[in-house]
Amino acid sequence: MSIKARDILDMNAFHGAVEDPLVARRMANMGAASTLFFERPIEMVSAQGAEMTAADGTVYLDLYNNVPSVGHSHPHVVAAVQEQVAKLNTNSRYLSEVTEAYSERLLATVPVADARIAYTCSGSEANDLALRIARLETGKRGVVVTEAAYHGNTAAVTEVSPVSYRRGTVPEFVKLIPPPGPAYGEDIAGGFAAALRAAIDALEAEGHGFAAFLCDSIFSSDGVFAYDWSALAAAEEVTHSAGGLYIADEVQPGFGRTGRGLWAVGAARVAPDILTMGKPMGNGFPMAAMVAQADLLRRFADAFGYFNTFAGNPVAAAAGSAVLDVIEDEDLITHAAGIGGLLIEGLSKMESPVIGAVRGCGLYLGVDIVAGDTPDPERAAQLINDLRDRGIMVGAAGKYGHTLKIRPPLCLSAEQAGRFLDVFGGLVSGPA
Ligand SMILES: Cc1ncc(COP(=O)(O)O)c(C=O)c1O
């Protein structure tokens, strides 16, 4: 296929001329480190539930945001953060009832045996720590990831994030396999396991050895591959039989998004050695964590110790606790399954020459945009900007950037889902 792979930050990125004075100021301040969404970037000023309001008064339906996962500005989370920040916030080297209560509650949910938690401030840090533990534990360096995986932005996790590379590719001690999908034909789980086995064999043959299989349980940046969960269990078996660690990156699917429990690996009956989480954890309060078996963490701490100034602070713990409250009180996991089902059904029924496969689980969906059999990232980008002009925001994903990524706050209503289906259906119903 001659179509070019895209780097993740290039998808739905602003490349235009700087006319808007705020864009000009941003470019002057951040320079090349600035990445903005849409051909015409939006200045957002407030948000509520699944809607965001721009400075010009336009209200956008947010089908893209995995951070304010229980809803933008959720009053329960806002109140919990306000109350705690007015009382105490500090680094994590004091005792805190709020933090311990949150840790106990969170640890009771994760499918990691004899688990302990190390708080971080970002998913990148959580994965970085997980890699350090896996490498220390195995004495090996090699890691297997999927071919368009994204695991974060530190030096170490960039090396295991093939979709971040604009030039060149991952180092030789990182091997890539396709996500569990059509690439493997009929037997997706068997094919995925065999590809992992072959990648591990290659790492060993080249002298790198195998430290870990690092896996985003919903393969979000690969284009959302969530329809054969048995592939994860098959991969766990291969990983463990080869003496490596299974690191479940639940930064994207965690906290109920799949509509199948809090953790995708839990529902898939996979027992990872390490699980990382982040994004929706604090509903916008920056917080993340790595959960690992106690012995793994102890052996790591014997070698290096661990301290992270802001991580697990009392305000983060208050935000995290409030998020768990809302997921329970509003039954958001069941809600995500129901509304996700409506979206999948509506999208799958659309007759359009530009819609290829529709995949997903709960409120994490991928819709391939194609021209015949060929991925069509240009049309995908056009659709994203056309939707934006009609007040609806979605994103892009996939190796070629041709998969529309639909990932709204979990509180999305049936009316809002229907509104999206109507507008999107109108956009794709014409000739290709
Ligand atoms: C699967 C996955 N892992 C890790 C990360 C990194 O998280 P953060 O941006 O909080 O460092 C991301 C971010 O998009 C992600 O999608």
Side-chain angles (χ1 to χ4, degrees), residues 55-425:
D56 66 3
T58 310
V59 177
Y60 291 88
L61 184 56
D62 180 7
L63 296 189
Y64 185 68
N65 230 315
N66 194 15
V67 171
S69 181
V70 301
H72 286 278
S73 311
H74 194 289
H76 184 63
V77 184
V78 170
V81 169
Q82 279 175 340
E83 196 182 308
Q84 185 59 46
V85 81
K87 215 187 280 174
L88 169 75
N89 200 15
T90 176
N91 71 50
S92 52
R93 293 175 83 171
Y94 300 98
L95 288 169
S96 160
E97 171 59 37
V98 192
T99 302
E100 294 327 311
Y102 177 56
S103 301
E104 284 152 7
R105 196 168 167 196
L106 191 62
L107 282 171
T109 70
V110 286
V112 175
D114 195 23
R116 301 290 186 273
I117 191 159
Y119 288 106
T120 62
C121 302
S122 69
S124 302
E125 284 180 304
N127 283 328
D128 191 285
L129 190 57
L131 281 181
R132 289 174 71 195
I133 290 179
R135 286 177 172 149
L136 187 77
E137 188 67 19
T138 58
K140 310 283 168 53
R141 197 175 183 197
V143 176
V144 182
V145 295
T146 49
E147 61 189 9
Y150 180 75
H151 295 290
N153 63 17
T154 70
V157 292
T158 296
E159 289 178 342
V160 293
S161 298
V163 76
S164 289
Y165 284 74
R166 287 184 173 165
R167 276 199 303 271
T169 186
V170 296
E172 59 202 12
F173 54 84
V174 178
K175 299 293 179 212
L176 310 182
I177 60 174
Y184 297 112
E186 291 283 290
D187 179 10
I188 293 175
F192 190 56
L196 176 57
R197 180 72 258 176
I200 294 170
D201 289 347
L203 285 171
E204 275 160 3
E206 290 168 26
H208 308 297
F210 175 50
F213 175 51
L214 171 56
C215 181
D216 168 356
S217 313
I218 200 156
F219 305 94
S220 48
S221 52
D222 279 288
V224 190
F225 289 87
Y227 51 82
D228 188 348
W229 295 101
S230 63
L232 298 184
E236 183 207 341
E237 202 180 313
V238 171
T239 300
H240 285 147
S241 69
L245 266 59
Y246 187 112
I247 305 171
D249 180 337
E250 293 261 337
V251 166
Q252 292 280 359
F255 293 96
R257 181 157 288 280
T258 61
R260 291 165 47 97
L262 268 193
W263 311 108
V265 273
R269 303 202 176 288
V270 170
D273 303 285
I274 301 179
L275 184 152
T276 58
M277 61 184 82
K279 282 195 198 293
M281 193 172 179
N283 210 48
F285 193 90
M287 62 187 296
M290 184 209 67
V291 169
Q293 285 171 4
D295 285 348
L296 292 177
L297 200 53
R298 186 178 44 73
R299 287 192 284 271
F300 174 77
D302 285 348
F304 295 106
Y306 178 68
F307 174 62
N308 189 327
T309 300
F310 302 114
N313 66 62
V315 179
S321 263
V323 167
L324 293 180
D325 291 342
V326 178
I327 292 173
E328 277 171 34
D329 297 348
E330 298 182 13
D331 202 8
L332 286 181
I333 298 178
T334 311
H335 183 77
I339 303 293
L342 288 180
L343 285 171
I344 287 258
E345 198 190 325
L347 288 162
S348 305
K349 276 193 195 146
M350 280 178 194
E351 283 177 21
S352 163
V354 302
I355 295 187
V358 175
R359 297 177 293 270
C361 188
L363 282 174
Y364 214 128
L365 310 185
V367 182
D368 286 348
I369 302 302
V370 294
D373 289 337
T374 310
D376 193 344
E378 276 72 34
R379 185 68 196 264
Q382 187 196 330
L383 282 169
I384 289 170
N385 283 289
D386 288 349
L387 281 167
R388 174 244 187 263
D389 291 344
R390 289 160 181 75
I392 295 178
M393 297 187 293
V394 302
K399 185 173 174 183
Y400 305 109
H402 71 297
T403 305
L404 297 185
K405 186 159 72 173
I406 299 164
R407 189 190 50 178
L410 301 185
C411 59
L412 190 80
S413 69
E415 181 279 315
Q416 289 168 326
R419 204 188 318 158
F420 161 70
L421 290 172
D422 285 348
V423 175
F424 185 63

